[in-house]
Amino acid sequence: MSQPLTLTHWIGGVRREGPVARERRNPSNLDEVVAVAPEAAAVLVDEAVAAAAAAQPAWAEASPEARSDILDRAGAILFEEREAVGRLLAREEGKTLPEAIGEAARAARILKFFAGEALRRTGMTVDSVRPGVDAATYRQAVGVFGLITPWNFPIAIPAWKTAPALAFGNAVVLKPSELTPALADVLAQVLGRAGLPAGVFNLVQGAGATGAALVGHRGVQGVSFTGSQATGSAIAAETVRRQARLQMEMGGKNPLVVLADADLDLAVRCALDGAFFASGQRCTASSRIIVEARIHDAFLERLAEAMRSLTVGDALDPATRIGPLASQAQYDKVRGYLEIAAGEGAELLSGPEPATTARGWFQPPVLLAGATGAMRTSREEIFGPVGSVLRASDYDEALTLANAGDVGLSAGIVTDSLSKARHFQRHVRTGMVMVNLATAGVDYHVPFGGVAGSSYGPREQGQAAIEFYTQLKTAYVAGS
Ligand code: NAD
């Protein structure tokens, strides 16, 4: 067992210690303390914002090449160290080792993608309607961004907010989840080693109160948040009140539709991946599996059989396919929803018990057979390895079920019918749609986001990120 990491804040390029506020234990082995972390009070948040504001103008004026090179170097360092970072991530958050290494590599690729984007802060010229006048737009940095992130992608999400902010000349104060302080510290270290000037990136550790102090700070011009809808509502009220920019990514209740003409092996793979991998703790997880009646029973039988072959256990064990839930709160929440499901009349089909005797937040995967759209477990985000299986008489009913509810992040359909796939792509009410793929698992260089209660503000990632992290200026010049 390794020694616990003693974490700090990072302000103005230097570590700032603070009294230990909380310890983070390995969710696969609660006897292991992975890290201890401090909690930033409002006065420290003030300092972090001041450091960011002081560093930002020179960073924005620097050559785009300078910004690009630093992000590229940071991406290279992180990619090189992805296995060690992945191991820490598996111990801190509970993803299986391959999933965790994959996330570290993804964060590295994101940094490298935005190294390229730093060179593309482009505007446009417009023929003015007035002879002798030139009109043009160009993009400028916004200033200081406050970034508030969840625990379920503890380095990829901080990276996909930080990288575009920095690429386009802004400075950042990151407030990561209090459950995953160590991975945020890794990002701070990597950026420092890549040569980022002091103060351009600052990290304040802490929980909701630290986040609220950052969101409410008048020196923060924009807030990007990923997390739950309840927290998002509070953040929206505050940022709109003081007219700060706001972008939010929140929960999902993502449907995977399986039609009667589907390749059933493929459909089972999509459902297993979407519903259970990363222990179902993905905002894009397939939590509603909607199956056309003609194949419902055969598909359910095959899916349940495949689910029973998944090994649940320690995130670092190579045999493990499903790691633990991230925390006791997650565990209690999932167990509570399983009780609700039983009370609502669903049949609970459970996967294997954990293949470990260690104390951890292990939850076997569960299918809720006989689920209906009216059940709470079909409408509320569970965020665990639980898939509701709903029966639809035909494609039209499947689409209606898929479009129920007040969130819309990702949807999937498994079918051999081109016309139904095309219809679904156009008519499902989500920000992302997958054909013959799981609802979870997205590329790092294309826009990401949902509709309705899932997202608010401009899209994240890919070329779309420039919208949020820059502001347009329109310039007119008259000359002879
Ligand atoms: P959460 O809302 O509890 O916490 C998210 C972050 O907000 C944490 O850093 C937390 O400390 C901070 N916070 C809490 N109260 C705050 C306040 N009043 N002001 C400012 N900050 C505050 O969410 P979580 O449990 O960490 O994450 C799980 C949720 O995130 C799920 O609902 C999931 O769907 C969602 N999520 C969405 C996406 C997406 O891109 N759509 C991606 C990952 C996770």
Side-chain angles (χ1 to χ4, degrees):
M1 222 178 276
S2 323
Q3 282 297 309
L5 298 169
T6 300
L7 302 174
T8 63
H9 314 286
W10 285 88
I11 296 179
V14 294
R15 282 192 178 277
R16 287 289 296 274
E17 291 174 7
V20 171
R22 59 177 58 79
E23 56 181 29
R24 175 61 182 162
R25 288 176 181 260
N26 180 345
S28 298
N29 176 3
L30 297 173
D31 295 326
E32 183 191 14
V33 178
V34 177
V36 295
E39 170 104 9
V43 45
L44 210 70
V45 173
D46 285 348
E47 274 191 49
V49 174
Q56 190 268 331
W59 179 244
E61 289 304 314
S63 162
E65 264 179 4
R67 296 196 294 270
S68 177
D69 287 349
I70 288 170
L71 288 171
D72 191 52
R73 266 201 299 278
I77 293 170
L78 188 53
F79 195 78
E80 184 70 27
E81 297 177 4
R82 64 193 181 282
E83 297 211 356
V85 173
R87 184 162 280 273
L88 178 61
L89 199 160
R91 288 170 54 232
E92 185 177 59
E93 194 263 354
K95 279 198 179 73
T96 65
L97 190 57
E99 289 169 341
I101 294 171
E103 182 181 337
R106 178 189 183 86
R109 299 270 185 209
I110 289 166
L111 290 164
K112 283 175 156 288
F113 173 80
F114 282 106
E117 289 298 279
L119 300 168
R120 300 187 192 98
R121 201 176 72 179
T122 53
M124 66 177 178
T125 58
V126 182
D127 287 344
S128 172
V129 294
R130 288 171 285 174
V133 172
D134 294 333
T137 65
Y138 57 97
R139 291 188 178 273
Q140 294 185 307
V142 176
V144 175
F145 278 92
L147 310 179
I148 313 268
T149 54
W151 46 265
N152 68 329
F153 284 93
I155 193 155
I157 295 179
W160 84 48
K161 294 180 189 300
T162 298
L166 301 186
F168 301 126
N170 306 285
V172 159
V173 180
L174 169 67
K175 204 302 284 172
S177 169
E178 59 276 25
L179 295 184
T180 50
L183 266 292
D185 193 83
V186 168
L187 183 62
Q189 289 180 49
V190 163
L191 289 167
R193 286 164 60 197
L196 191 71
V200 173
F201 174 88
N202 305 273
L203 169 65
V204 287
Q205 303 280 12
T210 306
L214 182 59
V215 166
H217 202 293
R218 283 188 305 147
V220 172
Q221 281 80 40
V223 172
S224 181
F225 166 75
T226 299
S228 63
Q229 274 184 318
T231 307
S233 298
I235 289 178
E238 178 58 28
T239 45
V240 170
R241 187 188 65 74
R242 60 181 194 81
Q243 294 187 314
R245 279 180 173 233
L246 177 62
Q247 170 187 68
M248 303 199 292
E249 293 297 341
M250 296 163 290
K253 192 70 196 170
N254 311 291
L256 176 73
V257 170
V258 180
L259 294 184
D261 61 19
D263 170 339
L264 283 199
D265 289 336
L266 173 66
V268 166
R269 284 201 302 277
C270 290
L272 275 190
D273 174 339
F276 301 131
F277 293 166
S279 304
Q281 299 177 128
R282 292 187 285 188
C283 51
T284 49
S286 313
S287 52
R288 295 182 295 148
I289 302 163
I290 301 167
V291 189
E292 200 171 350
R294 269 194 291 153
I295 53 149
H296 175 278
D297 294 356
F299 174 75
L300 180 59
E301 197 175 310
R302 283 168 76 162
L303 180 59
E305 190 186 324
M307 176 188 72
R308 288 190 196 102
S309 72
L310 298 173
T311 306
V312 180
D314 188 318
L316 292 177
D317 184 334
T320 297
R321 298 298 298 279
I322 300 189
L325 296 173
S327 65
Q328 177 164 12
Q330 278 299 114
Y331 183 80
D332 291 346
K333 184 176 166 201
V334 171
R335 302 298 295 187
Y337 272 114
L338 293 179
E339 275 178 31
I340 291 170
E344 287 181 322
E347 183 192 353
L348 275 62
L349 309 177
S350 289
E353 290 303 310
T356 166
T357 52
R359 288 190 317 124
W361 301 121
F362 299 109
Q363 170 58 52
V366 179
L367 288 169
L368 304 180
T372 67
M375 291 177 175
R376 271 183 69 188
T377 45
S378 300
R379 293 183 284 115
E380 298 173 15
E381 189 183 46
I382 299 174
F383 226 54
V386 181
S388 297
V389 183
L390 293 86
R391 186 189 296 262
S393 55
D394 55 16
Y395 167 72
D396 290 337
E397 191 190 1
L399 179 63
T400 304
L401 282 169
N403 281 341
D406 52 10
V407 290
L409 190 58
S410 181
I413 188 166
V414 189
T415 179
D416 268 358
S417 161
L418 178 61
S419 63
K420 285 185 180 138
R422 286 188 73 232
H423 188 274
F424 189 77
Q425 271 196 345
R426 286 164 194 221
H427 296 281
V428 74
R429 193 182 50 84
T430 53
M432 296 177 289
V433 56
M434 318 286 178
V435 175
N436 292 332
L437 287 166
T439 57
V442 293
D443 286 4
Y444 59 85
H445 65 311
V446 290
F448 178 98
V451 301
S454 290
S455 295
Y456 184 89
R459 285 281 182 265
E460 294 202 90
Q461 300 197 70
Q463 289 180 344
I466 198 167
E467 292 301 329
F468 184 65
Y469 290 104
T470 62
Q471 54 200 349
L472 275 179
K473 183 170 276 181
T474 310
Y476 295 92
V477 181
S480 49

